[in-house]
């Protein structure tokens, strides 16, 4: 079996047999495309037999048959669609490999043409908010040309990371392939947005392409600014420093909590806004619960440092939370912001304001759960769509931009004053869908967002 690499994500090969699949999987391929029609030559293995072997080996498989010497634009579009949806790297095969190589070249041109065409609606962001909004729109009008701009091949159910840190979930159950979540009928543009030209109704992509739209929906999430705290990024995942705000670190939280036999445990919360205002406390209460069950809570010196002035933004919740604070013997520090971290020395520096000015104090720790400061993504903050906060400016009710009537935003990236939770995104998605379709028809907004349950949901990408 001779494999020719065309790019880091695509290779081609001559006719495969079921016996080749194990070696293909071992070589790191995640998907296979068959470009031969069945029955093209005597003794040719049917595509179904290769698909069965691929599926057994954990590989994705798509049959995109094309006739040698008579390749069509429809073949190229089918190949492009398969390449857009399949997890990479992909191995395509035909009789000799030449047909697959030609189809790949044609698919590239088809992608370019598609990228330069007008879309009815462009959704920037393929996280929970973007997928929900796109699905809600296409459920109402499945014939629309709708593009979802999302560079990542993996999608994460981030509210679950709190449960991973508590040892309730395995991290793997929170990950899904993005291709499997893009709504049927949507075109997945696997690229990152770079900038907006709202007066020209265009989105510029990092790879130089541009997408034109009639209606734009912006929901790329929020940026976790790990570098805002000196020393933090260098020690994450080591020296007892962890965070449930990252997929690879949530299991480390579980290991630290499970191994903890006593000592000082710090939990932090930065200034708002952040994804799920309750997540920093959830990590703390779940840890204390485990230590209580293990009989080591009495040896734990637990501290909660929050940059805010209250325990939680919804007053009705505070009494119940205070019951847990008292039960677990948690020391509360309001107006206390983490500003520096020395992992090897296991020392955290906090900044507090008092009547004498701003004071700094260093605290030793055996473990620390850090929630990083969070800001709007750079390309949003620097765009003409940004409010003073850096997030996409929207009307609180319609979620429409006040200056551009064909632009909407939802999820963590919008400036609405609700908490940034999955609950908010779920409530916003149908409102944006209805109002985006109204804008497409030249009508005023028809749906109103009335806010979301402030304590619900969880971390949302």
């Amino acid at each position: 079996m001779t494999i020719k690499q065309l790019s880091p994500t695509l290779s081609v090969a001559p006719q495969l047999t079921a016996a080749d699949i194990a070696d293909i999987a071992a070589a790191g391929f995640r998907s296979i495309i068959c470009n031969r029609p069945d029955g093209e030559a005597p003794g040719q293995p049917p595509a179904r037999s290769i698909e069965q072997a691929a599926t057994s080996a954990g590989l994705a498989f798509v049959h995109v048959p094309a006739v040698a010497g008579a390749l069509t634009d429809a073949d190229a579009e089918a190949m492009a669609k398969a390449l857009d949806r399949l997890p990479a790297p992909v191995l395509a095969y035909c009789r000799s490999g030449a047909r697959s190589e030609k189809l790949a070249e044609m698919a590239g041109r088809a992608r370019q043409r598609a990228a330069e065409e007008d879309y009815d609606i462009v959704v920037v962001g393929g996280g929970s908010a973007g997928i929900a909004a796109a699905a809600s729109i296409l459920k109402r009008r499945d014939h629309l040309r709708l593009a979802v701009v999302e560079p990542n091949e993996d999608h994460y159910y981030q509210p679950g990371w709190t449960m991973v840190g508590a040892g309730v979930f395995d991290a793997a159950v929170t990950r899904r392939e993005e291709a499997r979540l893009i709504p049927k009928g949507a075109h997945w543009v696997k690229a990152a947005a770079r900038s907006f030209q709202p007066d020209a109704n265009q989105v510029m992509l990092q790879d130089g392409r541009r997408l034109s739209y009639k209606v734009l929906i912006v929901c790329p999430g929020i940026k976790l600014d790990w570098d805002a705290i000196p020393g933090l990024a260098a020690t994450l995942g080591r020296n007892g420093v962890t965070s449930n705000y990252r997929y690879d670190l949530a299991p480390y939280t579980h290991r630290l909590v499970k191994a903890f036999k006593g000592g000082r445990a710090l939990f932090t919360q930065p200034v708002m806004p952040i994804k799920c205002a309750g997540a920093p406390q959830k990590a703390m209460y779940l840890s204390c619960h485990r230590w209580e069950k293990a009989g080591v809570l009495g040896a734990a010196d637990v501290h909660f440092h929050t940059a805010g002035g209250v325990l939680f933004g919804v007053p009705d919740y505070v009494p119940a939370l205070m019951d847990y604070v008292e039960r677990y013997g948690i020391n509360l520090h309001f107006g206390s912001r983490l500003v520096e971290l020395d992992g090897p020395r296991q020392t955290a520096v906090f900044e507090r304001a008092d009547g004498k000015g701003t004071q700094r104090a260093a605290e030793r720790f055996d473990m620390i759960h850090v929630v990083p400061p969070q800001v709007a993504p750079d390309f949003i903050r620097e765009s003409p769509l940004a409010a003073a906060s850096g997030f996409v400016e929207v009307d609180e009710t319609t979620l429409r931009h006040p200056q551009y009537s064909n632009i909407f935003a939802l999820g963590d990236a919008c400036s609405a004053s609700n908490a940034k939770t999955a609950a908010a995104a779920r409530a916003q998605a149908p409102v944006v869908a209805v109002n985006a379709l109204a804008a497409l028809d030249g009508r005023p907004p028809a749906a109103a967002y009335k806010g979301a349950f402030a304590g619900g949901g969880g971390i949302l990408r």
Side-chain angles (χ1 to χ4, degrees), residues 149 151 191-195 203-210 378-379:
V149 179
R194 185 183 73 200
S195 62
V203 178
M204 305 300 295
L205 305 182
Q206 288 284 4
D207 60 13
R209 291 180 291 164
R210 64 182 64 204
D378 294 345
F379 77 100

Side-chain angles (χ1 to χ4, degrees), residues 125-212:
S128 298
I131 288 171
S136 187
I137 288 168
L138 291 171
K139 184 177 180 179
R140 290 171 169 81
R141 295 189 196 176
D142 59 6
H143 65 280
L144 293 178
R145 281 184 49 78
L146 183 149
V148 176
V149 179
E150 172 56 53
N152 297 304
E153 292 190 353
D154 292 320
H155 176 280
Y156 297 96
Y157 178 66
Q158 296 181 45
W161 293 350
T162 295
M163 297 295 102
V164 174
V168 178
F169 292 171
D170 289 330
V173 306
T174 70
R175 185 183 67 82
R176 294 288 186 274
E177 293 177 0
E178 181 74 19
R180 298 179 182 273
L181 301 178
I182 298 294
K184 181 180 179 182
H187 176 67
W188 180 16
V189 179
K190 197 185 302 183
R194 185 183 73 200
S195 62
F196 302 99
Q197 295 184 352
D199 292 323
N201 293 330
Q202 289 186 335
V203 178
M204 305 300 295
L205 305 182
Q206 288 284 4
D207 60 13
R209 291 180 291 164
R210 64 182 64 204
L211 305 181
S212 297

Side-chain angles (χ1 to χ4, degrees), residues 269 304-308 333-338 350-352 363:
Q269 178 173 305
F304 182 55
H305 289 265
T306 173
H333 305 275
F334 297 113
S336 181
R337 184 169 63 93
L338 178 65
F350 293 92
E351 187 174 88
R352 305 178 181 90
E363 291 195 18

Side-chain angles (χ1 to χ4, degrees), residues 128 157-162 245 274-280 282 374 412 419-426 453-461:
S128 298
Y157 178 66
Q158 296 181 45
W161 293 350
T162 295
Y245 275 69
I274 63 170
K275 299 180 182 186
C276 185
K282 291 175 189 176
Q374 296 167 37
D412 292 352
K420 295 188 180 297
T421 65
R426 285 194 296 270
F453 182 54
I459 307 173
L460 177 67
R461 179 166 66 81

Side-chain angles (χ1 to χ4, degrees), residues 40 66-72 75 98-99 102-103 106:
E40 191 175 59
V67 177
L71 303 181
T72 66
D75 295 332
R99 188 182 332 171
K102 181 63 177 177
L103 273 173
M106 293 173 64

Side-chain angles (χ1 to χ4, degrees), residues 32-256:
I32 294 174
I33 297 176
C34 172
N35 293 131
R36 294 193 81 180
D38 282 335
E40 191 175 59
Q44 171 189 335
R48 180 60 180 163
S49 68
I50 308 301
E51 180 179 10
Q52 290 173 342
T55 301
S56 297
L59 303 181
F61 182 94
V62 173
H63 192 194
V64 184
V67 177
L71 303 181
T72 66
D73 288 343
D75 295 332
E77 291 173 3
M79 186 70 168
K81 185 175 181 179
L83 290 171
D84 285 342
R85 290 186 174 273
L86 289 173
V90 177
L91 179 64
Y93 75 90
C94 57
R95 186 187 66 80
S96 66
R99 188 182 332 171
S100 294
E101 183 173 357
K102 181 63 177 177
L103 273 173
E105 178 186 338
M106 293 173 64
R109 292 199 295 268
R111 277 201 196 101
Q112 186 66 29
R113 287 195 302 271
E116 293 172 349
E117 292 176 354
D118 288 344
Y119 286 96
D120 295 311
I121 298 177
V122 170
V123 179
V124 174
S128 298
I131 288 171
S136 187
I137 288 168
L138 291 171
K139 184 177 180 179
R140 290 171 169 81
R141 295 189 196 176
D142 59 6
H143 65 280
L144 293 178
R145 281 184 49 78
L146 183 149
V148 176
V149 179
E150 172 56 53
N152 297 304
E153 292 190 353
D154 292 320
H155 176 280
Y156 297 96
Y157 178 66
Q158 296 181 45
W161 293 350
T162 295
M163 297 295 102
V164 174
V168 178
F169 292 171
D170 289 330
V173 306
T174 70
R175 185 183 67 82
R176 294 288 186 274
E177 293 177 0
E178 181 74 19
R180 298 179 182 273
L181 301 178
I182 298 294
K184 181 180 179 182
H187 176 67
W188 180 16
V189 179
K190 197 185 302 183
R194 185 183 73 200
S195 62
F196 302 99
Q197 295 184 352
D199 292 323
N201 293 330
Q202 289 186 335
V203 178
M204 305 300 295
L205 305 182
Q206 288 284 4
D207 60 13
R209 291 180 291 164
R210 64 182 64 204
L211 305 181
S212 297
Y213 59 81
K214 295 181 177 69
V215 172
L216 174 66
I217 298 172
V218 185
C219 45
I222 198 168
K223 175 183 175 180
L224 304 183
D225 197 357
W226 301 100
D227 293 324
I229 301 173
L232 173 60
T235 195
L236 281 168
R238 298 183 294 125
N239 303 311
V241 182
T242 191
S243 178
N244 288 342
Y245 275 69
R246 233 172 64 180
Y247 174 77
D248 60 323
L249 294 177
Y252 183 53
T253 301
H254 174 52
R255 293 197 298 273
L256 288 175

